Amino acid sequence: MISNYIIFYILLWLAVFLSGTWAVDRGNFKTCDQSAFCKRQRALKPGQSPYRALLETLELTNTKLTLQLINDNNKVRLLLELYRLQGNMTRVKINELKPLKPRFEVPDVLINDPPTEPLSLLSQDENGVVLSLGADSQWLIVSAKPFRLDIMEGREVLLSLNSRGLLAFEHLRIRKDTAEWVLNVVCPGWLFSPTGPSSISLDFSLPGVEHVYGIPEHADSLKLKTTDGGDPYRLFNLDVFQYELFNPMALYGAIPVMLSHSAQRTMGIFWLNAAETWVDISSNTAGKTVFGQMLDYVQGSSETPQTDVRWISESGIIDVFIMLGPTPTDVFSQYASLTGTQAFPPLSALAYHQCRWNYNDQEDVAAVDQGFDEHDIPYDFIWLDIEHTDGKRYFTWDPHKFPQPKDMLQGLMDKRRKMVTIVDPHIKVDSSYKIHNEIRSKGFYVKNKDGGDYEGWCWPGNSGYPDFTNPEMRAWWASMFAYDQYAGSMENMYTWNDMNEPSVFNGPEVTMHKDALHGNWENRDLHNLYGLYVQMATAEGLIERSGGVERPFVLTRAFFAGSQRYGAVWTGDNTAEWEHLKISIPMCLSLGLVGVSFCGADVGGFFKSPSTELLVRWYQTGAYQPFFRAHAHLDTPRREPWLFGPENTALIREAVRQRYALLPYWYQLFYHAHHSGQPVMRPLWVEYPQDTATFSMDDQFLLGRDLLVHPVTEEGGRGVTAYLPGKGEVWFDVHTFQKHNGAQNLYIPVTISSIPVFQRGGSIIPRKARVRRSSSCMEHDPYTLFVALSPKRFAQGELYIDDGHTFNFDKQKQFIHRRLSFANKALSSRNLAPGSQFITPSWIEKIVILGASKPSKATLKTPDGKENLLEFEFDASMSVLTLRKPGVNAGVDWTVVLQ
Amino acid sequence: MSCALLLLLTSLALAMGTGAAVEIQRPRGVPQSKRQFYEENKPFTCLDGSSTIPFDRVNDDYCDCRDGSDEPGTAACPNGSFHCSNAGFRPAFIPSSRINDGICDCCDTTDEYNSGATCQNTCREMGRKERESLQIMAEITKEGFLLKQQLIHEAKRGQEDKQVKQKELIRMEKDKTRMAEAFLELDDDSDGYVSVAELQSHLELDPDSDGSLTETETQGLLGGEGKVDTSTFETVWSIIKDQYLSEVSTYVMKTYTPQEEQSRDFVSDHDSDHYPEDYAGEEEDVEDDEEDDHEEEEEKVVGNPHIGGEGPELGYRSLIYGPECIWVCRNLEKEIGFDFGPSAEFAYLYSQCYELSTSEYIYRLCPFNRVSQKPKFGGSETNLGLWGQWAGPEDNLYSMMKYDHGQGCWQGPNRSTTVKLTCGKETVVTSTSEPSRCEYLMEFTTPAVCQEPASLDEVLHGHTEL
């Protein structure tokens, strides 16, 4: 046995080294065929399920229904638990009735034990049972032989489980199957589990559904493709070097949540499993031509469209949350009620970030900071990558390049700017390194299967990997961010967690061996959770160092369901190519749909050097995506915004300034994302769920409900065709104020300075027109309100204001949240949160009303009973009314009446 | 609204109090030069003429003019600018967005009048410091400029010396060639000796010019010997060379002359004194050859100065110049070929090297040759670039040097180095950095870039207002 393992390791190392650990390509990552459990599971074809429900074991309590299932082939019994959850969700749990040892159940992802609602038994016979799911005439039908579940609404099947008979549960056994082992030697990376194969699988059928989304992270289109004839979408956190586009390969993060959408209903499937997972998608309409589909429709013939989905995971249990919608908003709320909402970032984190691997030393940082001022380009954060450390020992500084970090940070603070330093989870094995010694002495490292500290190669050379699944380890890690522990840190310094898949250069598929041990569990069981825990512990550290007062900001590369609670995510090491610019849209849209709103791609592209045009277009696109950070590889030429001649500097400056002017709206969107789980960056179908034309669109997007962005992502682009949704609606070009009708494809000629953005008629968007060198400098500045009238001369919006960086908005209700509405020729501001209080010096500088007619006079009424006439300008050609200087404080009630 | 009152400031109270208001008031943020456009109590016309507004809308914290000119003292206009007088230092314009942003930009603190930021007036201190550093700079410039004159002088002399030396070398080699030719010519029986009989036919050598060259006379010419070998012939040659007439000079040359050379200027070359002028043409050829394999040649030079394996042209040249000369001559040619600045003030840097030791590396700059980097604690040297060209901006070409085609970087460009030259009394590398991967920046001081100092008064007082 031992000798077998030695041979195995030798083979493994040989395979890894021969293939080259760094110049990774597709061949270094497994296909389903090369992943033994995926291949086994996929070999199982749809048919009659061997599972049968033992109705006599049925137990119904207040909170759940339990029922045993038996596999008629091997007589192994499973335990099914069904829960009706509050908020229109159903949870289905299936585990072995008597596993040889406990199977892994994912902790720390759900924010609480989801509150249940009682299920009631409507009818029962020998074929099955019918349960009521509460209101909306929803039923859950449990069929006994073969076992299947159907969720119905009225006479309509919403979703079926195991209808194709693909429920499979490899029960734990004493291992004896050496053939399996040999197979695994041939496919290195699959380290054999001591209790034999343990994979699970279940199929879901979605009648009436042609569009499914989500399950990030993949560099693919927004609408998921069918996987027939190809590989399934893979969810397994990996450090993929120079990833390719438009394929289902795994990337840095994994969120096992899929949304289905049709004009009638939106639903979600949350497969709570942190092991390596593959998702197959097939569709009965996918192969059909548009003509064929139309023929079906006209003839009223044929089957309804249907999408079938199958989830396969390597270990753990089946624990599925079925979010029944019915609207997209409902699904977002349902998912948020399970895993929490987006962390509300400090306002400055929504501004522009300047990063590079690497800013070389303190002088370099000072020079870049100065460069932004010289060229009058705002920025809030400058970032330091791994080279800032003393030999890749995180929490330290290179003594020659960064001898006085506090002086540097103070210099930034004097400009009201901030810094991010990188802290990765691989720890240099070095007995003179305090962090390493403490982790080792406390036994906090991940262990190898023989009980020693697991070691692998990463940036510092030989490294240990702290076991972030251990709460004690996380508490200790968090304490390392205290100002007296992290020498040279200050309150304007925040954190970046990279390489937390984790990346192990000499590991199988550049990650950790699956038999590495986190306490009693193998990495195999919880692999996809590691990155979440790293960010969780880091964010906790930033909160603690401020005594719980300040909001943290932590960027992570690896993530899992729930990661949204801890900060921002970026799409990893992309490339300076046009296709990568384009893919940033669907990649962030997909993340937004499953809770992670704070998403961005490296502006300019990480690998390679962008053309000037690409760089400019990327800034223009990034300025309208949630996380806005430029980043570049060490080996690329410098690309600070002013290095490409004055014209391009001006173009980039303008893009960044548009971002800053719009920060009040961004902040408000993030408040909503935090408050109710609604995504910040949305596909059009989320707001126009019945407009089938929008269902596959991923070259344009909405910010909140009210801004539609169609960035130019074509090289040499002379024009874009934007789809403006909404029959009977209007949209206003935010730059020219020109009005366009909804429900049309609009061709917009563009120049290199164009960023096509439209405001929805019927909305009010607050901006700050005084763009300064950082967002903090703009804190007390006045607001300009852009009121875009609907055809019925109505508009509504909000204004959210707080201190921008503490938890006081939450703990002490210190914020301003106001409803702005325009109706009956009057614009008013009313308090939306009567229990809150906050004082702002900001005032209303200007009100711009789009689609207005010329009034004879405009009167401002304030709560003290005063009435003031406002001066105004009216541009008849564009129907734009500009009210001059209302001057009223942004936090009070007021009304402007037009006559 | 209340802050609007604050905005129309200037020391109105002070002016009224003293009654000695010689200085005419101007709105906040307006420079002296534009004061006349802001007349109190008269409507204000935007400086771009786009509109006219009541004067109380100047600096009322709302932007009315498209060009931002109505809000010189507030942050209301996105494109405005604010003027700080900075008495004691130099006045400046800052973007309006920096007014009341909590950051002290003007040393006289006037930009932060309503932000709560506590700014100290540092103008006098800055002025003092600037004057001090200008003074130091001026002294450096002055001394540096003197040193530069010296350098120019030396360079001139050096250049003349070199040209003389070169001329002399060429002359010597030419002479040797003629001697060899004469010897071959004279040694009719090719026995390796010139005998009395062989010399006697050259009547032009007749010492007493009586029309016949006697045996005794001839023997006298041969130093009393009956025949001489090549080494003794040198002494003989020095006596006879002025009179000696070649029998077959053109024939001999033809055997060695490639066609194109002959068609050029060879004949005149051979028997004239304008050699240096003709030489200029050849120099270019040599330069061309060298640019192709600069580095390679350098290596050869170090290893073995007496190069073999020349092409036909070089073979011919070696006969003319003699092999020893080639190395010396080529180096001389090369050196003369460099652009050492308008007055050759950079010539002194040639064949020198300057080092800077940092925590990790020793950097080495050999001007007009190469830049390199060597790890301090072992490891091989890395070539950071070979001499390329002067690379300063058009109006200051000699302020920067570019060295390129250094060692290649993984997945990146070849290393290159930009050397920034600043005026200093000493010639020294002051810093190095790698601002972008494989692109190095080196700062280097030398008197050679020192400009003629302006009068110090001008420097110090040219900029301050008030």
Side-chain angles (χ1 to χ4, degrees):
Chain A
M1 172 95 174
I2 287 169
S3 64
N4 280 349
Y5 265 93
I6 289 168
I7 293 165
F8 175 65
Y9 266 102
I10 291 168
L11 284 171
L12 176 75
W13 279 71
L14 269 178
V16 169
F17 278 116
L18 289 177
S19 58
T21 52
W22 195 215
V24 179
D25 59 45
R26 207 182 256 256
N28 288 40
F29 297 99
K30 284 199 253 179
T31 61
C32 179
D33 264 358
Q34 292 163 331
S35 173
F37 78 92
C38 186
K39 188 178 182 184
R40 274 196 315 273
Q41 288 280 7
R42 237 190 173 192
L44 190 65
K45 298 296 175 201
Q48 175 132 333
S49 175
Y51 284 99
R52 176 160 58 86
L54 302 171
L55 294 177
E56 64 278 17
T57 64
L58 186 147
E59 281 178 42
L60 184 62
T61 69
N62 255 349
T63 54
K64 66 177 176 185
L65 174 148
T66 57
L67 183 62
Q68 289 178 22
L69 310 177
I70 186 162
N71 181 331
D72 278 331
N73 294 339
N74 61 13
K75 303 300 174 202
V76 174
R77 290 191 182 196
L78 304 180
L79 180 68
L80 166 75
E81 295 172 75
L82 287 173
Y83 302 82
R84 175 65 183 168
L85 301 184
Q86 286 177 19
N88 203 16
M89 289 180 283
T90 298
R91 182 180 189 176
V92 179
K93 260 177 106 165
I94 304 175
N95 197 350
E96 286 182 57
L97 181 65
K98 285 178 184 158
L100 203 61
K101 61 170 198 175
R103 297 180 69 117
F104 186 72
E105 296 188 38
V106 178
D108 300 312
V109 167
L110 300 177
I111 51 172
N112 53 27
D113 204 3
T116 57
E117 283 175 358
L119 287 160
S120 54
L121 199 58
L122 291 179
S123 67
Q124 180 175 7
D125 62 18
E126 73 280 9
N127 295 320
V129 293
V130 179
L131 298 152
S132 165
L133 290 175
D136 296 338
S137 57
Q138 283 181 359
W139 294 281
L140 176 62
I141 299 171
V142 183
S143 306
K145 191 177 180 190
F147 164 71
R148 68 179 266 173
L149 294 172
D150 293 276
I151 296 175
M152 315 268 302
E153 185 173 286
R155 300 175 58 185
E156 192 187 344
V157 178
L158 302 181
L159 180 105
S160 308
L161 281 71
N162 200 32
S163 54
R164 291 191 297 149
L166 295 171
L167 168 62
F169 223 98
E170 294 180 328
H171 63 284
L172 303 182
R173 280 158 289 180
I174 305 294
R175 211 188 93 226
K176 50 183 184 264
D177 188 350
T178 47
E180 192 85 64
W181 183 84
V182 169
L183 180 72
N184 286 309
V185 172
V186 182
C187 308
W190 164 270
L191 293 182
F192 211 80
S193 159
T195 43
S198 58
S199 71
I200 54 170
S201 158
L202 181 61
D203 63 278
F204 302 78
S205 293
L206 296 154
V209 169
E210 288 180 273
H211 293 82
V212 287
Y213 310 93
I215 55 168
E217 181 175 40
H218 300 100
D220 207 352
S221 54
L222 173 65
K223 173 188 171 359
L224 297 172
K225 294 170 183 144
T226 61
T227 57
D228 301 330
D231 251 20
Y233 283 98
R234 188 182 189 202
L235 292 171
F236 189 57
N237 294 358
L238 290 175
D239 176 4
V240 183
F241 180 77
Q242 295 192 337
Y243 60 81
E244 291 173 36
L245 306 185
F246 303 110
N247 71 55
M249 284 172 72
L251 285 178
Y252 314 95
I255 301 183
V257 178
M258 181 185 282
L259 267 56
S260 70
H261 178 72
S262 70
Q264 287 72 44
R265 179 180 283 271
T266 310
M267 294 191 293
I269 299 169
F270 173 25
W271 177 266
L272 180 51
N273 188 300
E276 179 182 346
T277 296
W278 299 79
V279 185
D280 256 323
I281 298 167
S282 57
S283 158
N284 62 354
T285 54
K288 285 191 181 168
T289 61
V290 176
F291 179 73
Q293 289 178 35
M294 225 160 68
L295 209 64
D296 285 349
Y297 178 77
V298 172
Q299 294 171 343
S301 73
S302 139
E303 53 207 329
T304 43
Q306 177 167 314
T307 296
D308 294 313
V309 181
R310 178 187 194 188
W311 297 72
I312 302 166
S313 289
E314 185 178 1
S315 68
I317 63 163
I318 292 174
D319 191 1
V320 192
F321 298 80
I322 296 154
M323 300 171 282
L324 291 167
T327 68
T329 308
D330 292 332
V331 173
F332 301 141
S333 303
Q334 286 155 3
Y335 181 62
S337 75
L338 297 173
T339 65
T341 59
Q342 175 65 53
F344 191 26
L347 172 58
S348 54
L350 298 177
Y352 173 63
H353 300 260
Q354 181 66 35
C355 186
R356 168 172 187 87
W357 175 25
N358 214 97
Y359 286 119
N360 299 328
D361 48 31
Q362 284 178 227
E363 292 71 33
D364 198 6
V365 169
V368 171
D369 178 74
Q370 187 57 32
F372 275 92
D373 283 349
E374 272 164 24
H375 298 90
D376 201 17
I377 300 171
Y379 90 93
D380 271 57
F381 281 84
I382 185 162
W383 293 52
L384 295 181
D385 208 323
I386 51 174
E387 311 297 329
H388 84 276
T389 59
D390 182 6
K392 319 293 187 293
R393 295 171 185 86
Y394 305 105
F395 301 101
T396 71
W397 302 84
D398 183 306
H400 302 292
K401 297 170 182 164
F402 296 92
Q404 303 293 341
K406 284 195 177 183
D407 289 356
M408 172 177 64
L409 287 163
Q410 186 60 51
L412 291 169
M413 197 179 280
D414 291 344
K415 295 261 194 85
R416 308 181 73 175
R417 287 175 176 149
K418 301 173 171 67
M419 173 168 269
V420 169
T421 57
I422 197 165
V423 177
D424 287 352
H426 48 258
I427 301 300
K428 186 176 177 70
V429 174
D430 169 7
S431 58
S432 61
Y433 178 27
K434 188 189 92 173
I435 298 281
H436 163 71
N437 288 338
E438 288 208 31
I439 296 174
R440 170 161 284 184
S441 68
K442 290 177 194 296
F444 282 162
Y445 276 126
V446 172
K447 301 285 188 276
N448 60 40
K449 63 168 185 59
D450 301 319
D453 286 348
Y454 176 88
E455 288 178 3
W457 284 85
C458 209
W459 298 125
N462 198 28
S463 306
Y465 292 79
D467 184 2
F468 283 88
T469 68
N470 175 353
E472 284 173 49
M473 156 60 208
R474 293 201 299 274
W476 176 84
W477 178 266
S479 74
M480 289 299 101
F481 289 88
Y483 296 120
D484 60 352
Q485 290 293 326
Y486 191 161
S489 67
M490 282 174 49
E491 58 269 32
N492 64 338
M493 198 183 94
Y494 298 80
T495 309
W496 172 16
N497 294 148
D498 196 0
M499 315 296 279
N500 53 341
E501 294 76 23
S503 179
V504 181
F505 292 163
N506 58 345
E509 299 193 274
V510 202
T511 193
M512 193 172 272
H513 291 75
K514 281 183 169 172
D515 63 353
L517 291 170
H518 304 256
N520 292 325
W521 300 107
E522 288 186 308
N523 184 263
R524 177 194 329 277
D525 298 313
L526 49 75
H527 177 89
N528 288 346
L529 264 182
Y530 190 83
L532 173 141
Y533 277 130
V534 174
Q535 194 190 19
M536 176 197 275
T538 304
E540 187 52 39
L542 296 193
I543 295 171
E544 277 174 17
R545 71 173 186 181
S546 74
V549 173
E550 297 288 330
R551 286 177 235 163
F553 170 61
V554 182
L555 178 73
T556 181
R557 191 169 72 181
F559 51 81
F560 189 67
S563 285
Q564 70 269 17
R565 305 194 296 260
Y566 307 111
V569 156
W570 95 108
T571 62
D573 299 343
N574 62 359
T575 302
E577 290 167 356
W578 289 92
E579 291 299 309
H580 274 266
L581 167 59
K582 286 176 202 164
I583 206 83
S584 71
I585 300 174
M587 286 180 82
C588 280
L589 284 175
S590 297
L591 276 160
L593 289 174
V594 297
V596 179
S597 270
F598 205 0
C599 166
D602 285 346
V603 169
F606 178 68
F607 291 111
K608 301 189 182 172
S609 190
S611 68
T612 304
E613 184 192 358
L614 175 58
L615 185 66
V616 167
R617 289 301 191 199
W618 213 316
Y619 267 98
Q620 294 173 339
T621 305
Y624 287 90
Q625 291 177 349
F627 177 56
F628 183 25
R629 182 187 74 153
H631 188 33
H633 190 276
L634 184 68
D635 288 323
T636 59
R638 293 289 280 237
R639 55 169 99 135
E640 284 70 47
W642 49 87
L643 295 176
F644 305 89
E647 282 168 29
N648 293 303
T649 305
L651 291 167
I652 294 170
R653 177 192 299 123
E654 173 56 23
V656 178
R657 288 175 69 106
Q658 286 186 27
R659 171 61 165 232
Y660 275 72
L662 199 56
L663 282 174
Y665 184 65
W666 278 106
Y667 196 50
Q668 173 189 315
L669 292 178
F670 269 88
Y671 176 71
H672 279 291
H674 172 70
H675 199 255
S676 60
Q678 302 304 305
V680 167
M681 182 175 165
R682 304 174 188 169
L684 269 64
W685 63 259
V686 167
E687 294 300 330
Y688 298 87
Q690 264 127 52
D691 185 348
T692 54
T694 65
F695 289 2
S696 304
M697 241 171 231
D698 59 10
D699 56 352
Q700 61 180 55
F701 54 90
L702 293 168
L703 296 178
R705 285 177 69 196
D706 299 336
L707 278 187
L708 184 149
V709 185
H710 189 121
V712 183
T713 57
E714 293 287 338
E715 184 171 17
R718 299 271 179 93
V720 298
T721 301
Y723 178 73
L724 302 180
K727 202 166 169 53
E729 292 195 29
V730 291
W731 294 84
F732 294 87
D733 185 314
V734 300
H735 308 295
T736 64
F737 301 146
Q738 184 163 0
K739 185 159 81 176
H740 302 284
N741 288 325
Q744 66 155 325
N745 282 303
L746 178 70
Y747 179 80
I748 309 141
V750 298
T751 66
I752 187 65
S753 64
S754 307
I755 318 176
V757 180
F758 302 88
Q759 183 177 345
R760 190 176 59 83
S763 66
I764 301 174
I765 289 181
R767 283 188 160 86
K768 283 189 174 180
R770 305 178 181 193
V771 174
R772 303 190 188 246
R773 72 186 118 192
S774 75
S775 67
S776 302
C777 294
M778 297 162 65
E779 185 185 355
H780 300 315
D781 278 338
Y783 290 88
T784 297
L785 303 179
F786 288 83
V787 181
L789 297 184
S790 71
K792 289 178 179 161
R793 301 196 171 251
F794 173 84
Q796 205 170 54
E798 292 170 33
L799 185 58
Y800 176 84
I801 306 171
D802 63 16
D803 65 22
H805 58 97
T806 72
F807 284 110
N808 293 348
F809 76 97
D810 188 30
K811 292 183 180 160
Q812 300 171 25
K813 302 291 164 213
Q814 290 186 13
F815 63 92
I816 291 166
H817 193 193
R818 306 198 66 83
R819 160 74 61 216
L820 305 170
S821 41
F822 186 99
N824 302 320
K825 293 188 178 174
L827 175 65
S828 63
S829 169
R830 296 283 172 266
N831 197 352
L832 264 178
S836 67
Q837 55 172 4
F838 186 70
I839 308 281
T840 177
S842 296
W843 45 287
I844 307 297
E845 175 173 32
K846 192 194 277 194
I847 297 169
V848 182
I849 305 176
L850 313 178
S853 47
K854 188 177 183 177
S856 55
K857 65 175 184 176
T859 315
L860 171 71
K861 299 179 180 176
T862 42
D864 53 11
K866 280 188 187 159
E867 296 198 359
N868 286 315
L869 281 185
L870 295 180
E871 273 194 44
F872 57 85
E873 268 178 59
F874 184 72
D875 175 353
S877 68
M878 285 292 170
S879 302
V880 177
L881 176 67
T882 305
L883 304 179
R884 186 186 191 279
K885 204 177 180 187
V888 60
N889 185 281
V892 304
D893 286 347
W894 51 267
T895 304
V896 172
V897 179
L898 304 177
Q899 279 154 336
Chain B
M1 295 290 275
S2 66
C3 57
L5 284 175
L6 276 170
L7 305 184
L8 252 180
L9 117 148
T10 73
S11 47
L12 202 66
L14 182 74
M16 293 192 333
T18 59
V22 180
E23 192 194 338
I24 295 168
Q25 302 309 316
R26 44 184 158 134
R28 194 194 294 274
V30 174
Q32 196 75 19
S33 60
K34 288 186 178 156
R35 185 191 60 199
Q36 74 269 22
F37 301 117
Y38 296 84
E39 274 193 80
E40 207 163 338
N41 302 323
K42 284 191 185 167
F44 171 76
T45 300
C46 306
L47 298 187
D48 64 357
S50 58
S51 69
T52 298
I53 55 172
F55 191 78
D56 63 5
R57 300 216 166 152
V58 172
N59 279 343
D60 74 336
D61 209 11
Y62 185 89
C63 191
D64 291 287
C65 295
R66 245 177 295 163
D67 66 352
S69 58
D70 63 314
E71 298 293 319
T74 79
C77 293
N79 51 348
S81 63
F82 175 85
H83 181 264
C84 13
S85 308
N86 292 343
F89 189 54
R90 82 173 89 85
F93 284 98
I94 59 166
S96 289
S97 62
R98 294 184 193 169
I99 300 170
N100 290 328
D101 67 348
I103 300 162
C104 311
D105 289 286
C106 299
C107 64
D108 66 3
T109 77
T110 50
D111 60 316
E112 296 299 316
Y113 57 86
N114 196 25
S115 69
T118 45
C119 301
Q120 304 289 323
N121 188 323
T122 55
C123 292
R124 301 218 175 269
E125 180 62 13
M126 285 174 73
R128 192 180 59 75
K129 276 196 185 142
E130 191 187 47
R131 273 190 296 278
E132 272 174 20
S133 72
L134 281 174
Q135 203 138 15
I136 292 167
M137 255 327 285
E139 274 157 31
I140 290 173
T141 310
K142 199 170 144 193
E143 282 180 55
F145 190 69
L146 283 178
L147 287 170
K148 182 180 175 178
Q149 299 311 310
Q150 235 168 302
L151 289 175
I152 291 173
H153 183 71
E154 277 165 24
K156 212 165 166 188
R157 231 178 34 209
Q159 214 164 15
E160 278 162 14
D161 281 357
K162 271 171 214 141
Q163 269 163 9
V164 168
K165 203 168 143 196
Q166 188 179 32
K167 221 160 155 181
E168 183 53 31
L169 270 170
I170 290 163
R171 202 184 302 274
M172 274 167 58
E173 290 305 314
K174 214 159 80 174
D175 192 45
K176 273 190 181 168
T177 312
R178 276 185 69 207
M179 176 178 78
E181 285 163 10
F183 187 89
L184 290 172
E185 233 174 80
L186 289 168
D187 184 15
D188 289 336
D189 57 1
S190 306
D191 65 346
Y193 293 94
V194 171
S195 63
V196 170
E198 286 166 340
L199 191 59
Q200 251 177 327
S201 61
H202 282 263
L203 295 178
E204 74 271 18
L205 300 177
D206 182 12
D208 55 8
S209 308
D210 63 354
S212 75
L213 189 58
T214 66
E215 202 167 315
T216 323
E217 281 171 338
T218 315
Q219 205 165 353
L221 289 171
L222 292 181
E225 303 285 336
K227 58 180 185 181
V228 293
D229 62 8
T230 48
S231 62
T232 322
F233 186 72
E234 284 186 36
T235 328
V236 176
W237 177 248
S238 66
I239 300 164
I240 66 171
K241 65 179 176 187
D242 292 337
Q243 286 81 42
Y244 181 79
L245 288 175
S246 168
E247 299 157 16
V248 282
S249 66
T250 44
Y251 166 76
V252 171
M253 293 334 295
K254 267 184 186 163
T255 44
Y256 298 101
T257 307
Q259 287 303 308
E260 57 273 36
E261 284 288 328
Q262 194 187 16
S263 68
R264 227 156 65 166
D265 47 22
F266 191 78
V267 175
S268 66
D269 181 53
H270 194 248
D271 57 1
S272 78
D273 285 326
H274 345 327
Y275 199 86
E277 277 164 47
D278 300 327
Y279 181 75
E282 288 204 359
E283 183 188 65
E284 279 170 25
D285 286 353
V286 173
E287 278 286 17
D288 285 348
D289 291 345
E290 281 172 1
E291 262 167 31
D292 293 337
D293 51 6
H294 208 140
E295 186 177 25
E296 202 179 314
E297 190 172 320
E298 214 66 44
E299 304 293 332
K300 275 196 232 158
V301 165
V302 174
N304 174 18
H306 306 284
I307 313 154
E310 298 91 349
E313 196 197 351
L314 282 179
Y316 158 68
R317 286 156 61 96
S318 76
L319 188 92
I320 304 273
Y321 294 160
E324 303 82 8
C325 178
I326 294 230
W327 180 58
V328 181
C329 290
R330 289 180 94 194
N331 263 9
L332 273 173
E333 283 166 20
K334 192 165 121 187
E335 192 177 340
I336 291 168
F338 278 112
D339 176 0
F340 288 136
S343 314
E345 60 269 40
F346 297 100
Y348 82 105
L349 298 173
Y350 185 76
S351 77
Q352 302 294 312
C353 291
Y354 303 88
E355 287 188 349
L356 178 73
S357 186
T358 67
S359 57
E360 284 174 81
Y361 298 101
I362 296 168
Y363 290 87
R364 193 174 157 91
L365 166 67
C366 303
F368 304 103
N369 185 355
R370 67 203 300 259
V371 182
S372 60
Q373 175 200 53
K374 199 178 159 103
K376 233 171 171 173
F377 310 104
S380 58
E381 190 182 81
T382 306
N383 177 357
L384 303 186
L386 300 170
W387 167 247
Q389 71 276 323
W390 290 103
E394 223 168 279
D395 57 346
N396 198 6
L397 180 67
Y398 297 97
S399 62
M400 261 190 254
M401 290 171 154
K402 183 81 186 173
Y403 293 80
D404 40 27
H405 300 108
Q407 209 161 306
C409 275
W410 180 78
Q411 275 208 343
N414 285 342
R415 287 173 176 78
S416 64
T417 304
T418 301
V419 180
K420 255 169 89 174
L421 290 80
T422 50
C423 168
K425 286 185 279 190
E426 270 148 35
T427 303
V428 57
V429 177
T430 56
S431 78
T432 61
S433 56
E434 189 183 356
S436 195
R437 192 63 157 176
C438 301
E439 290 175 17
Y440 296 81
L441 178 67
M442 195 170 256
E443 304 211 36
F444 185 57
T445 64
T446 158
V449 292
C450 295
Q451 301 292 319
E452 183 156 18
S455 113
L456 189 57
D457 286 355
E458 205 177 301
V459 174
L460 292 183
H461 303 299
H463 300 300
T464 43
E465 197 182 62
L466 301 178

